[in-house]
Amino acid sequence: MTKYIFITGGVVSSLGKGIASAAIGSLLQARGFTIRQRKMDPYLNVDPGTMSPFQHGEVFVTDDGAETDLDLGHYERFTDSSCHQSDSISGGRIYWNVLTKERQGEYLGATVQAIPHITNEVQNFIKSDLHGEDFVIYEIGGTVGDMEGVLFLEGVRQFMNEVGRENVLLIHLTLVPYIKTASEVKTKPTQQSVRKLLEMGLSPNIIMCRSDSLIPDNEKRKIAMFCNVRPEDVISAPDTDNIYKIPLVYHNEGLDDRILNYFGILSTANKPDFSKWDKIKNVLGNWKHNIIIGIVAKYCGFPDAYKSLNEAVQHAGIANETKVNIKWINAEDLEAMNDSQIAETFSDVNGIIVPGGFGHRGVEGKIKAAEYARTHNLPYLGICLGMQVAVIEMARHLLGIENANSTEFTKDCTPIISLITEWEKDGKKEVRDENTGKGGTLRLGAYKSVLAPNSLASKIYGGATEIFERHRHRYEMDIKFEEALKEKGVIISGKSPDGTLPEIIEIPAHKFFIAGQFHPEFKSRPFAAAPLFDALVKVCLD
Ligand code: GLN
């Protein structure tokens, strides 16, 4: 029977609950079990698709086109599996579902209330779309004590009664701060946070303590005594210099054994196989090479806004035993620079990435970055907006269309990039116009691209003729510029199967200039770097 694990967070936010959940998933996989990972976010947005990266970090996109919390990216990376639309829900979506049912008369005249209707909807989510996985791991967003999380926790409490206490494990991730002036770690915030859970009828079975370093045994015993768990069930979750070391740290703390012990299946479980994590750990400590990649971005100083990108670059580093240093270059600063300042800015980078983005801010700086890379034979990888700015730059400087631009940024231009008004998804036509609402209406999720034979793209993807990559965009390059660009040495080497949407452009005569209308970073894994990033690191090493 499926076992359910719920992970709550205590004391403060930003403890790394997503990484902890992902690492727990990877531990259970290493013991031979099948897993599924899910996220419940109590906030009232229907999904994070329209939330600012400043507030919420990156929007992660699944194969089936869900715009989700970035933690789903951690789940996919740590467990090398694909999450689905049904693996992520927000408070807003729960309310939306309930109100939709109310409007459709499904409640047969009942007064619709937080309990039972909202809590039932939480339980519907917990049980939905499962396929006999051994473990399903649910991360509950926010911090215990937040008002908006209460109905989620109540839903979990009721669910435990329904499936039986023995089939549900509660893990509470908490902060155990070190107070320098007293030279002591402090357990009281943890005690109080667990008391908050107890008030709601939830008693955690395992307590994971985020801290600077390992928690001393006497402090573990203290936490155990106050929080109703065994000392072995108090697990240190210390800071590490690289997140991919975390599964092994948890294993050494005995976490997988304690989880399996709780469910009474420790004696029958496989011996752990951590070979792939050991391999990564060995590479991390022994870099053979060093490179600098310049990322020209709008949200410099907010690495969460580019979470998957950051990770994909690191994965390519791991694959090539190369320490990749990222130089963040503010696109708006670049806008104001003259040629010699731009040359100075790029003088120490081995390659440039222009990542995805929305809105006009910094776009002219990104166009300058694409121009610099193209004209100086500097490796360039453009991602989504990074492809669009490269095409605008080429239209301006190779085709002589001075006012070339995207209609996303100005209507007063020769549109090279315009709103996509029609495309095909799963055999059905999708239609959009200027008045379409903003939530969930982009071209989202995995779409097929057909690659030109003998192109750099097909070489990078191991000779493939078709690839599936994840998309998240509303605008698209106009294919009518294909011939003119070809005459100037730029080819479209990837297209949608019907040949109407350019998916990849490249410059065959350039050392490495390639850009895609999709986000290859979403499918990158620590054990299998995404091909485009791997190729970029390789060419930077040349
Ligand atoms: N803003 C552009 C579009 O919507 C690019 C999107 C992106 O980079 N993800 O098409």
Side-chain angles (χ1 to χ4, degrees):
M1 173 172 174
T2 299
K3 307 289 181 200
Y4 302 87
I5 299 177
F6 292 92
I7 300 174
T8 53
V11 185
V12 292
S13 57
S14 303
L15 282 180
K17 241 183 316 152
I19 293 176
S21 304
I24 289 169
S26 71
L27 286 187
L28 292 168
Q29 269 185 335
R31 303 298 296 251
F33 295 100
T34 58
I35 56 131
R36 184 84 179 259
Q37 298 215 245
R38 295 188 149 172
K39 175 94 196 261
M40 309 197 236
D41 274 306
Y43 55 70
L44 290 182
N45 300 67
V46 174
D47 61 41
T50 55
M51 287 161 90
S52 159
F54 274 128
Q55 287 203 13
H56 200 69
E58 158 190 286
V59 175
F60 187 74
V61 179
T62 57
D63 277 329
D64 60 2
E67 294 180 286
T68 75
D69 187 83
L70 57 77
D71 283 327
L72 273 81
H74 292 308
Y75 308 161
E76 289 205 356
R77 289 186 284 272
F78 275 75
T79 64
D80 194 12
S81 51
S82 286
C83 291
H84 307 276
Q85 185 108 42
S86 55
D87 293 325
S88 159
I89 204 154
S90 68
R93 174 79 67 189
I94 296 267
Y95 279 87
W96 178 293
N97 291 349
V98 168
L99 294 177
T100 305
K101 286 181 187 168
E102 188 270 342
R103 291 289 85 183
Q104 287 166 347
E106 277 192 40
Y107 295 122
L108 302 176
T111 307
V112 178
Q113 297 186 292
I115 301 171
H117 299 98
I118 298 293
T119 47
N120 282 353
E121 199 61 34
V122 169
Q123 293 178 71
N124 289 344
F125 167 72
I126 294 172
K127 292 181 282 196
S128 66
D129 195 28
L130 294 179
H131 302 279
E133 293 85 354
D134 297 325
F135 290 94
V136 194
I137 301 162
Y138 300 82
E139 177 191 347
I140 302 179
T143 307
V144 167
D146 292 348
M147 288 250 197
E148 56 182 12
V150 168
L151 291 173
F152 279 88
L153 294 171
E154 173 60 15
V156 170
R157 192 190 66 77
Q158 293 179 12
F159 175 75
M160 279 164 52
N161 290 334
E162 187 189 318
V163 292
R165 192 73 185 83
E166 67 284 5
N167 295 312
V168 180
L169 171 76
L170 300 180
I171 297 181
H172 190 53
L173 183 73
T174 168
L175 177 71
V176 178
Y178 175 73
I179 305 293
K180 221 161 142 193
T181 46
S183 303
E184 275 179 28
V185 295
K186 290 294 175 190
T187 66
K188 191 129 327 162
T190 297
Q191 297 173 35
Q192 286 172 346
S193 171
V194 168
R195 216 163 283 155
K196 277 249 161 274
L197 273 173
L198 290 172
E199 279 169 21
M200 287 181 280
L202 297 173
S203 181
N205 311 105
I206 290 178
I207 298 183
M208 294 179 63
C209 305
R210 290 284 295 110
S211 58
D212 300 344
S213 43
L214 293 173
I215 308 282
D217 282 346
N218 59 332
E219 301 297 337
K220 282 188 172 176
R221 280 195 293 274
K222 196 163 150 190
I223 292 171
M225 181 181 70
F226 280 110
C227 302
N228 287 327
V229 297
R230 298 212 179 95
E232 311 86 276
D233 290 321
V234 179
I235 304 286
S236 282
D239 294 344
T240 56
D241 56 4
N242 189 293
I243 56 171
Y244 299 117
K245 291 182 179 168
I246 292 176
L248 290 172
V249 172
Y250 288 179
H251 173 67
N252 291 337
E253 277 285 297
L255 180 58
D256 39 325
D257 278 2
R258 296 311 298 165
I259 293 173
L260 299 176
N261 177 65
Y262 174 86
F263 289 117
I265 50 178
L266 178 59
S267 56
T268 55
N270 290 352
K271 290 263 163 294
D273 175 7
F274 285 113
S275 45
K276 61 182 185 182
W277 293 107
D278 282 328
K279 236 195 242 164
I280 288 181
K281 193 176 162 200
N282 292 338
V283 175
L284 290 175
N286 298 295
W287 300 117
K288 297 222 163 65
H289 320 277
N290 230 300
I291 58 169
I292 303 178
I293 303 244
I295 299 186
V296 181
K298 185 158 79 171
Y299 302 108
C300 294
F302 291 89
D304 268 7
Y306 303 99
K307 193 56 131 194
S308 297
L309 175 69
N310 239 318
E311 295 306 317
V313 169
Q314 300 311 328
H315 302 161
I318 291 170
N320 292 286
E321 298 179 79
T322 299
K323 182 161 173 40
V324 184
N325 306 285
I326 293 179
K327 176 172 176 177
W328 292 98
I329 298 166
N330 189 320
E332 284 176 283
D333 292 348
L334 216 52
E335 255 171 32
M337 287 184 198
N338 61 29
D339 287 353
S340 72
Q341 290 166 321
I342 291 176
E344 172 65 26
T345 303
F346 290 125
S347 61
D348 57 351
V349 307
N350 303 96
I352 298 177
I353 296 177
V354 176
F358 291 81
H360 71 277
R361 268 181 42 216
V363 161
E364 289 301 322
K366 293 177 184 177
I367 291 174
K368 283 186 174 178
E371 180 182 11
Y372 186 87
R374 181 178 63 79
T375 54
H376 290 79
N377 212 22
L378 188 62
Y380 180 90
L381 173 60
I383 296 174
C384 205
L385 180 64
M387 165 167 157
Q388 298 177 357
V389 294
V391 176
I392 294 169
E393 188 278 315
M394 291 161 179
R396 287 184 192 173
H397 303 126
L398 294 177
L399 307 184
I401 308 172
E402 263 171 52
N403 69 343
N405 216 324
S406 162
T407 53
E408 179 178 5
F409 314 128
T410 174
K411 303 288 175 250
D412 184 18
C413 67
T414 301
I416 307 296
I417 314 286
S418 318
L419 194 71
I420 335 171
T421 49
E422 266 183 37
W423 70 92
E424 205 177 287
K425 185 172 177 86
D426 304 329
K428 283 208 312 249
K429 196 152 98 174
E430 297 272 337
V431 181
R432 302 284 189 275
D433 63 29
E434 294 285 350
N435 302 319
T436 306
K438 290 280 182 279
T441 55
L442 292 96
R443 182 168 177 255
L444 289 167
Y447 282 90
K448 189 196 279 183
S449 307
V450 178
L451 305 185
N454 304 320
S455 58
L456 175 63
S458 100
K459 198 171 119 208
I460 288 174
Y461 282 92
T465 50
E466 291 177 357
I467 55 165
F468 285 86
E469 290 283 10
R470 298 184 193 175
H471 294 67
R472 181 170 186 252
H473 64 127
R474 214 184 289 285
Y475 296 84
E476 177 75 36
M477 172 191 171
D478 192 330
I479 192 108
K480 78 174 182 213
F481 294 97
E482 181 173 19
E483 278 312 309
L485 283 171
K486 198 169 164 194
E487 278 170 27
K488 299 289 176 186
V490 182
I491 61 162
I492 298 179
S493 55
K495 287 182 191 168
S496 59
D498 64 2
T500 60
L501 303 177
E503 291 276 12
I504 304 177
I505 56 149
E506 60 185 74
I507 305 178
H510 193 282
K511 185 172 181 189
F512 184 93
F513 195 106
I514 188 160
Q517 189 51 78
F518 46 79
H519 291 265
E521 68 271 30
F522 290 142
K523 280 172 64 171
S524 186
R525 306 282 186 258
F527 335 98
L532 281 163
F533 292 93
D534 184 45
L536 174 68
V537 168
K538 284 198 164 68
V539 77
C540 288
L541 283 172
D542 245 0

